[in-house]
Amino acid sequence: MAKKSLEEVHHSVDTLQKKGFFGKLLAFMGPAYLISVGYMDPGNWATDLAGGSQFGYTLIWVLLMSNIMAVLLQSLSARLGIVSGRDLAQAGREVYPPTVNYSLYFLAEIAIIATDLAEVIGMAIGLNLLFNIPLIWGILITFLDTFILLFLINKGMRKMEAFILALISIIGISFFVEMLIARPEMTEVVKGFIPSMPNHEALYIALGIIGATVMPHNLYLHSSLVQTRKFGNNHKSIKEAIRFNFIDSAIALNLAFFVNAAILILAAATFYKAGMFEVAEIQDAYRLLEPLLGNGLAPILFAIALIAAGQSSTITGTLAGQIIMEGFINFRMQAWVRRMITRLFAIVPAILVIYYMGTSYTGKMLIFSQVVLSLQLGFAVIPLIHFVSDKKRMGAFAIGTGTKIMSWLVASIIIVLNTWLVVNEIQNWWAHSPSILLLVLVGLFLIFIIGLLIFITIHPFIGNKQLRKLAVHHNEDIEPILEKPEYRKIVISLDFSSIDQEVLRHGLALGSPQTEYLLVHIVESIPAHYHGLDSGDYESVKDKEVLEKYAMRISRFGYTVHTKIGYGNPKNAIPELANDFDADVLVLGSHGHKFLMDIVLGTTINSVRHKLQIPVFVVK
């Protein structure tokens, strides 16, 4: 059976009990706000500042176009998740061959790392501006946001969404105040909505804006987050879920558009107006705001908003990384491990560039990271359009002809602009550094990219229309599936807590009159860790008495019950006892340590499961 996307929070928010339009809307609202933080992260700041300082209000239309693209594509992503019950990565694994999926996974990981690079640099700059912490130390401090993510996941989806919304509010309020201080020329702002492209540098910035706005990892994320809502499985309920999620997306992404526009307008009204055309560094923007605006509050608000943007984007980037890993290659790791690995890939290049080239290159790194995102967009957008157009997958909710045309037009614009940029960049490399080896490597990579893009575009048209299932069953004989398994020996692990009654109830239900049961308990006292059977401490003696009382009571009902006390670490002791008993199945409870203790001590269930070759039945 296919795994649920973001299993920990799947269908965790119930919308069925909500009444009335606004009650329903509030229940569905949330996923798009997590998505919207990616549209106002430090990478966006860099491209918006560069666009506003170099070209004034000229590129506001790019922001508007990017926002329209984002609303369309995010609504398609939400539709895919709601109707099919699959996120974008899972849907890709069903349709494309394994080699293609691994390639798409590799490119998606590059996009996640590029996003994280922007967040690392942005957070470090914010800490530097507010507390004068050196950039390299600030980058290292960003490792700590892993603990915030773990805390929020443990607290549930609604609390995570509330935290993100609070950060978004800080960003929005900060820039609203700064806009009031800056007093932009509204006539020039309106002219900025007329499309124009002054030169090649403007194209590079424009592509960075598109990449920073229509972020590829957000498409994977949104198709998963909408599945955190529990709604009916009938046509009316699905249609209602699509409608409310579209409203959620439209509101959240338009708020993100106003934040981005405010940054660009602020840069145009201050730096461009003052003739400072090369302000691409966030640090410079911070320092120059006070003398230009004449208000000490503006730069402080700027730094606070920057930290909030980096922190909120980190959380959503981690979730997106988990989704693409599980979806494309069916591999799962603990969220904090995933966070650390991604952060390491972002921190190392950031530290190397700052150490060897200086802090003046942070702005260039931020803009480059957003262009990388733009280049990866086609590999997320094209499969998405295919999947939501497929009537076998989507049924009555497949998109119509008009939406298809708009979607393919957006995809074409993205691919054409990216091609234009790549051609220009290769020409620049050839003019300034004609390294044959570099050009060969770039050429081979481009051949691979173009081939992959062509394949994912045409494969759904000419490939096998039958979806590959996530769990493939080669044996079509249904009889063996219907046979109830017989467990001769069952191990039931008890920890003498309130969940024991449920563990015993389910464990006994799995057996038959011929089944032998082994009740086990692991003594974790310090003497037990060091001396095992020879410990003889008070806890060991009392635990053995309690376990035997359990066995005695159960035996009265005709069950064959044995007991065994284990010593030391449950991760090792439970599998050893189960193997010694030659058990057919293990039953245990799934509570225990929370948050920080999970990090320090780890979780018992996963460790036990990996050390056994028998089914493990977990009771919550």
Side-chain angles (χ1 to χ4, degrees), residues 77 85 114 171 202 335 378 387 404 433 461 533-534 572 589 620:
S77 178
I171 300 168
F387 299 153
K404 281 184 191 177
S433 180
F461 292 122
L533 286 168
D534 300 322
N572 301 319
K620 290 188 177 182

Side-chain angles (χ1 to χ4, degrees), residues 463-482:
N464 186 4
K465 293 291 184 179
Q466 185 64 35
L467 294 179
R468 293 189 299 110
K469 300 300 180 185
L470 291 182
V472 180
H473 303 284
H474 297 288
N475 187 356
E476 296 181 359
D477 185 5
I478 200 68
E479 293 300 327
I481 300 174
L482 296 177

Side-chain angles (χ1 to χ4, degrees), residues 153-170:
I153 287 178
N154 285 340
K155 290 297 180 182
M157 202 66 205
R158 272 310 209 186
K159 287 187 174 63
M160 182 186 291
E161 290 168 353
F163 177 76
I164 294 294
L165 190 58
L167 293 177
I168 292 172
S169 300
I170 291 171

Side-chain angles (χ1 to χ4, degrees), residues 575-611:
E576 285 176 8
L577 292 175
N579 287 328
D580 290 344
F581 188 61
D582 194 23
D584 297 317
V585 66
L586 168 68
V587 183
L588 72 169
S590 79
H591 59 88
H593 310 300
K594 298 279 186 172
F595 185 42
L596 286 176
M597 293 306 292
D598 264 347
I599 300 169
V600 177
L601 300 177
T603 53
T604 300
I605 292 173
N606 280 337
S607 297
V608 169
R609 180 170 57 85
H610 288 305
K611 293 177 180 178

Side-chain angles (χ1 to χ4, degrees), residues 29 138 147 201 268 397 422:
M29 287 181 77
F147 299 101
E201 286 74 18
F397 296 101
V422 169

Side-chain angles (χ1 to χ4, degrees), residues 439-466:
L439 285 173
V440 168
L441 291 175
V442 171
L444 291 173
F445 183 70
L446 284 178
I447 291 170
F448 163 72
I449 290 294
I450 293 168
L452 182 61
L453 195 63
I454 292 171
F455 183 88
I456 65 172
T457 303
I458 65 174
H459 179 268
F461 292 122
I462 63 175
N464 186 4
K465 293 291 184 179
Q466 185 64 35

Side-chain angles (χ1 to χ4, degrees), residues 429-441:
W429 289 345
W430 180 258
H432 295 95
S433 180
S435 168
I436 300 299
L437 178 61
L438 178 62
L439 285 173
V440 168
L441 291 175

Side-chain angles (χ1 to χ4, degrees), residues 92-93 95-105 328-329 455 468:
R93 194 163 96 247
V95 172
Y96 295 117
T99 305
V100 172
N101 276 310
Y102 276 101
S103 300
L104 291 175
Y105 168 69
F328 276 127
I329 63 174
F455 183 88
R468 293 189 299 110

